[in-house]
Amino acid sequence: MIEVSSLSRHYTMGPTVVKAVDDISFTIQSGEFVAIVGPSGSGKTSLMNILGCLDSPTAGSYQLAGEETSKLKKDQLAEIRSRRIGFVFQSFNLLPRESALENVELPMIYQGVSRKTRRERALAMLKKVGLDGREGHLPSELSGGQRQRVAIARALAGEPSILLADEPTGALDTKTGIEIMELFHTLHRDGATLILVTHDPKVARQAHRVIQVQDGRILADVPAGEWQL
Amino acid sequence: MTSSALYENVRMSLRSIRANKVRAFLTALGVMIGTGAVIAMLALGAGAQKSVESSLESLGSNLLLLYSGQPKGGSLVRRSTTNIVPTITEADVEAIKALGPELVALTAPESSASGQAKFGNTSMTVTIVGTDIDYPSIRNIRPVAGDFFLTSDVDSRKAVVVIGAQLYDDLFGGTGDPVGQKLRLNGLSYRVAGMMERKGNTTTDSSVFIPISTYQRYISGAKEFALVNIQAGNSDQMREAQSAIESTLLRLHKIPNMDAADFYVANQLDLLDTLQGVAGTFTLLLGGIAAISLIVGGIGIMNIMLVSVTERTREIGVRMALGAKTNDIIAQFMTEAIILSVGGGLIGVAIGVGSSYAFSLWGGLASTVEPFSVALSFGFSLVIGLVFGGYPAYRASQLDPIEALRYE
């Protein structure tokens, strides 16, 4: 599903070159549940931005579902994001004036899905994350956990190839965080490819495979059971 | 953009406008005032132009006015003839008539002076006009009661008078048949032969008309005329008729050129051109000022859209992350700007049309709303939405999704 080889993302800041991602290679199969873990400044966010097609690498190649994305232009990347990637953010990033249902419909609008299909699919997604009956609520009328569920439903609505979650439990209390992780497990059992980006080893351990990043390089790439800090 | 995407853009824009009602209203207000002002000002201008045309048409058709006195550069507006020393003689008029019906169809000399009119116990100052029988045909005015005086009245210097419509109100109290009544002018008794229709022109409506021969005998004592009303043979030959009259009179008066002449000819066409030019300039000026306010309204839209883009930076980042392309973002913000400007434009059209009617109803100003001006100002407000909404929308579309998502 994902094939990253010799991937680098360098920033030039005056005379110094910051190697946020430095010559990284790995492969993620369809249906895997992978955690990318590392402290802040390790380069995991830069890596996630590239994996999410929000940014392009300065060198190397990134193939997503057989498509080379490293040389694509802005709108072509947007197209890939639209078809292939579902984002879940730490701060949910729901549109505050749109209802839960409308938030979930959003990615399908950009895919050009008809209004009827959009509505049906959005309702199904909300049901899947356990929010049936809350379709008409605004984000402000929902709890943190419910908001993250809406965000996950929204990420799933576009039927993406991968689900990319950036610190999805970071803004939640422990109990709600656990519920959200359970939801991820359920999605994984249903066949979703999940990539979880986190600084929290406890969250990372819940994945099946851990890619530990430090100073832009991979420090460890092991099954979660074998991973030690 | 698919119709579904358009629907979504309109829905989202309306929601965003509703979330900032006061701000949106104030933004659209600029365009409302601008559009309304353009329509109202153009309506006033068109009204002025129309009233100029109709008041000139009411003067008569193919009209040339031969005045006594020095030509004054450019001034073609009909002047008062009461204080001019008359220089045009009976022989001049005969010579003009002799130019033939092709050039000169009808002539009516005219002299006037102010005098006292008295009916019963009511007396007032009026303009006494001495003229000839063809005056009504040339000046396009008809008697509504009785008749204008006849050739025989002129030939025998009869003391008959035809009164203006306003005088009927002022002297006769607007009741009873004036025809056959006795009216005293400067102490002399005249028989009222008729009453003219109302022209809406103060000078004509409050004049009394007597035969020119009677006028020369009892009012002025002079043989010359202050003015000759001339009807040209046809409308295509107005200028030929004018120059023929000028050269005939220069010859008779033994004057080398028009600069030194003791007469001049005003041409209805020139008069129309001048007045229409004035009205046109007036329209352009008012419309131009109003258009500036419309542009200022557009700048208001741009300003608020830039604020809106900044406020919604994070939303833009989210939309981009979810797959929105450059054009999706542009379309969203353009839709919002166009809704503001077109919404403002529509209300502005209502304001403009409404105030134009108010001007004519209560302000006594002639105003004509032309469909063209409505289309123009509405189209202009749409263009303003496109132009002034375009830049903020473009700015939004060029945001970096990563930066935008991080924006607090």
Side-chain angles (χ1 to χ4, degrees), chain A residues 45 49 54-55 74-75 78-79 81-82 85 87 89 91 93-99 102-103 105-107 109-110 112-115 118 138 154-155, chain B residues 2 4-5 7-8 11-12 15-16 19-20 312 314-315 317-329 332 397-402 405-406:
Chain A
T45 302
N49 286 340
L54 290 167
D55 196 8
K74 213 176 150 216
D75 272 355
E79 177 69 33
R81 291 197 296 271
S82 174
I85 296 159
F87 281 99
F89 303 97
S91 51
N93 278 338
L94 299 176
L95 302 191
R97 284 192 290 272
E98 310 273 310
S99 69
E102 286 159 346
N103 264 289
E105 284 186 43
L106 207 54
I109 292 173
Y110 296 124
V113 175
S114 78
R115 216 188 312 170
R118 226 157 57 201
L138 290 177
R154 181 177 69 183
Chain B
T2 64
S4 151
Y7 170 85
E8 283 304 321
R11 187 184 64 79
M12 288 186 293
R15 186 162 292 180
S16 139
N20 290 302
R312 289 152 73 186
R314 202 180 172 97
E315 173 191 325
V318 173
R319 288 177 184 276
M320 286 175 162
L322 297 180
K325 296 187 189 66
T326 309
N327 286 340
D328 294 323
I329 301 292
Q332 184 193 340
S397 77
Q398 294 306 304
L399 289 173
D400 175 23
I402 299 170
L405 276 168
R406 222 180 279 156

Side-chain angles (χ1 to χ4, degrees), chain A residues 2 4 24-28 32-38 42 44 47 51 195-198 204 207-214 217-224 227:
Chain A
I2 287 179
V4 169
I24 277 181
S25 302
F26 59 83
T27 309
I28 293 172
E32 273 197 87
F33 185 0
V34 181
I36 295 175
V37 69
S42 61
K44 66 176 193 304
L47 180 58
L51 292 180
I195 299 173
L196 193 70
V197 179
T198 181
H208 292 191
R209 173 181 165 195
V210 174
I211 297 175
Q212 188 182 356
V213 184
Q214 183 123 35
R217 289 174 166 275
I218 293 179
L219 208 64
D221 182 356
V222 292
W227 182 55

Side-chain angles (χ1 to χ4, degrees), chain B residues 359-407:
Chain B
F359 283 147
S360 21
L361 208 59
W362 296 305
L365 290 165
S367 78
T368 314
V369 179
E370 285 171 344
F372 153 78
S373 74
V374 173
L376 176 85
S377 54
F378 183 69
F380 203 27
S381 73
L382 178 70
V383 168
I384 273 184
L386 284 169
V387 170
F388 291 98
Y391 174 64
Y394 174 77
R395 280 254 301 237
S397 77
Q398 294 306 304
L399 289 173
D400 175 23
I402 299 170
E403 295 291 325
L405 276 168
R406 222 180 279 156
Y407 185 85

Side-chain angles (χ1 to χ4, degrees), chain B residues 108-258:
Chain B
E110 172 183 341
S111 287
S112 58
S114 57
Q116 264 327 101
K118 191 169 181 220
F119 177 74
N121 292 322
T122 321
S123 96
M124 62 187 294
T125 307
V126 297
T127 305
I128 302 168
V129 177
T131 187
D132 209 343
I133 53 162
D134 284 329
Y135 181 87
S137 309
I138 300 173
R139 299 304 290 259
N140 190 23
I141 181 169
R142 266 160 288 277
V144 284
D147 291 302
F148 205 70
F149 45 78
L150 310 169
T151 317
S152 57
D153 296 325
V154 180
D155 289 347
S156 53
R157 297 189 190 107
K158 281 248 182 70
V160 290
V161 61
V162 178
I163 60 170
Q166 186 60 41
L167 282 184
Y168 176 61
D169 293 346
D170 294 346
L171 276 177
F172 294 81
T175 53
D177 186 3
V179 177
Q181 302 277 6
K182 295 287 180 196
L183 180 71
R184 295 186 86 84
L185 290 176
N186 289 356
L188 221 71
S189 176
Y190 289 74
R191 187 180 61 84
V192 177
M195 178 175 80
M196 304 311 277
E197 64 180 320
R198 189 178 292 276
K199 293 293 274 185
N201 167 333
T202 331
T203 321
T204 313
D205 287 345
S206 39
S207 294
V208 297
F209 301 91
I210 60 175
I212 184 70
S213 51
T214 314
Y215 181 91
Q216 285 169 334
R217 154 97 42 112
Y218 298 111
I219 308 290
S220 75
K223 278 278 171 211
E224 288 79 18
F225 313 120
L227 162 69
V228 184
N229 297 284
I230 301 164
Q231 188 174 66
N234 65 61
S235 56
D236 300 334
Q237 299 215 11
M238 302 266 300
R239 306 222 189 270
E240 287 84 345
Q242 179 179 0
S243 57
I245 291 163
E246 282 172 356
S247 54
T248 306
L249 260 70
L250 285 176
R251 185 163 42 77
L252 288 173
H253 291 204
K254 298 186 172 63
I255 294 165
N257 58 54
M258 280 308 293

